[in-house]
Amino acid sequence: MKYFFAFIVIGWTFSAFSQKPSTEPLKEAIQAKLAGVEGNFGVAFKDLQSNQTLFINEKENFHAASTMKTPVMIEVFKQAKGGKFKLTDSILVKNEFKSIVDGSAFSLDISDDSADGMYKMIGKKMTIYDLTYQMIIVSSNLATNILIDLVDAKKANATMRDFGANDIQVLRGVEDSKAFQLGMNNSVTAYDLMVIFEQIARKKAIDPTASEGITRILFDQKFNEIIPAKLSKEVKVAHKTGSITGVQHDSGIVFLPDGRKYVLVLLSKNLKDPKAGVRILADVSEMIYDFVK
């Protein structure tokens, strides 16, 4: 009898330790935290070991800002694999693009671009890989528009549909003012960005080699005020941010020291105080990390 009792106790203990706590209390705590800042928020979290998820307004549309640059990067790697070009091929750096509205020409304003060093390269050549790297790590708008001309926004959008990201809209490059005035904007949902980063994390974004190359670039992100800001220094984050007036986003994969990883997407809009929005989203990232670790 005592052996039977010991078996029951051991079985209960194993079950208790193997079951993850519910994310519902965490979700409530996050909602309470976000209520302290004026704005609208979207959250999508997925633990890639347990497949646990947490969603807040995950299907709501947000202006993509620079988060749309991740799909563009994926399309670059896809077309390179397909033989359209090599990542080591060089192309001319230009600052003249066509509006998706009527084909009229427009140029980017250096004062609106976080990567102003790129403008010194106008008239010179850069490799497709280096343009992609600049598009992600310092969010170069100039590099982005050059690459969108190369791969076609419609094709990037179609690839995202193949991934299962059904609501994201990759319509155009940056600073197409005519398109902006007509409401023709790139948009994302927290859920779709989660789907995209899960594909990268599981090495299914094109293929394992492409996924690893994409991840290496994302690791070098220079804007680290949201997801990584309050995490342990041993944690690595492969991510892409985005910001415009009233908008602060971050999206990526969090790699824990023990090999576990999770995807986290934090979106915001209508922020009255952008700095407060950044701080609150960094707090949410820390709350999720504390839950997982």
Side-chain angles (χ1 to χ4, degrees):
M1 184 67 180
K2 65 181 180 180
Y3 296 111
F4 177 75
F5 177 74
F7 176 79
I8 293 295
V9 170
I10 292 169
W12 176 86
T13 302
F14 177 80
S15 176
F17 279 100
S18 63
Q19 288 183 343
K20 288 279 188 180
S22 169
T23 59
E24 196 58 33
L26 175 62
K27 179 178 178 178
E28 292 174 1
I30 289 172
Q31 288 173 317
K33 172 72 72 173
L34 294 175
V37 171
E38 187 172 355
N40 303 96
F41 300 92
V43 178
F45 155 77
K46 186 168 187 177
D47 184 321
L48 298 182
Q49 286 65 233
S50 67
N51 289 321
Q52 274 189 306
T53 57
L54 185 155
F55 297 127
I56 298 171
N57 302 324
E58 75 279 8
K59 294 294 183 77
E60 184 171 342
N61 283 309
F62 290 74
H63 191 296
S66 290
T67 62
M68 48 72 68
K69 295 172 183 177
T70 302
V72 174
M73 172 169 58
I74 292 169
E75 187 62 25
V76 169
F77 274 80
K78 179 182 179 181
Q79 293 188 20
K81 184 192 176 185
K84 184 177 178 182
F85 48 73
K86 295 178 182 178
L87 293 176
T88 52
D89 287 348
S90 294
I91 56 177
L92 186 68
V93 176
K94 59 176 184 175
N95 189 15
E96 185 174 310
F97 308 98
K98 292 182 179 180
S99 171
I100 63 170
V101 175
D102 57 9
S104 59
F106 71 94
S107 297
L108 303 188
D109 184 346
I110 187 172
S111 64
D112 292 331
D113 199 333
S114 59
D116 55 5
M118 276 289 302
Y119 291 78
K120 297 175 183 177
M121 297 300 296
I122 293 172
K124 302 176 183 178
K125 287 189 174 183
M126 290 179 65
T127 67
I128 293 170
Y129 182 88
D130 286 344
L131 286 165
T132 305
Y133 190 76
Q134 292 298 311
M135 174 178 70
I136 297 299
I137 71 157
V138 290
S139 211
S140 169
N141 291 337
L142 187 61
T144 301
N145 282 16
I146 293 167
L147 291 170
I148 285 177
D149 274 2
L150 177 70
V151 302
D152 188 351
K154 292 178 181 177
K155 290 181 180 178
N157 207 58
T159 297
M160 295 307 99
R161 294 292 180 271
D162 292 340
F163 277 23
N166 296 321
D167 296 312
I168 191 171
Q169 295 293 338
V170 183
L171 298 178
R172 60 173 176 84
V174 186
E175 292 184 41
D176 184 343
S177 59
K178 287 186 177 180
F180 178 80
Q181 289 164 10
L182 293 175
M184 301 170 67
N185 297 318
N186 302 312
S187 65
V188 295
T189 66
Y191 184 86
D192 276 7
L193 284 173
M194 182 196 76
V195 167
I196 293 163
F197 276 94
E198 181 178 1
Q199 291 287 89
I200 297 169
R202 296 195 188 279
K203 299 185 179 181
K204 294 180 179 179
I206 315 307
D207 63 17
T209 300
S211 296
E212 289 167 5
I214 288 165
T215 302
R216 281 195 297 272
I217 293 175
L218 291 164
F219 273 138
D220 285 350
Q221 175 60 242
K222 300 305 181 187
F223 304 117
N224 295 302
E225 294 83 8
I226 299 181
I227 290 178
K230 296 189 174 183
L231 307 189
S232 167
K233 298 301 181 185
E234 292 79 38
V235 174
K236 295 180 69 179
V237 183
H239 66 123
K240 182 70 192 83
T241 58
S243 63
I244 56 172
T245 303
V247 167
Q248 295 288 339
H249 301 326
D250 205 353
S251 51
I253 311 157
V254 178
F255 293 76
L256 302 182
D258 62 7
R260 292 179 296 143
K261 53 192 172 184
Y262 62 86
V263 173
L264 179 60
V265 180
L266 301 171
L267 306 181
S268 63
K269 61 184 177 181
N270 302 320
L271 293 171
K272 300 299 181 184
D273 183 345
K275 290 183 179 180
V278 167
R279 288 194 298 270
I280 210 82
L281 291 174
D283 288 342
V284 170
S285 176
E286 183 182 34
M287 292 166 73
I288 288 174
Y289 169 68
D290 287 341
F291 173 81
V292 173
K293 70 178 183 180

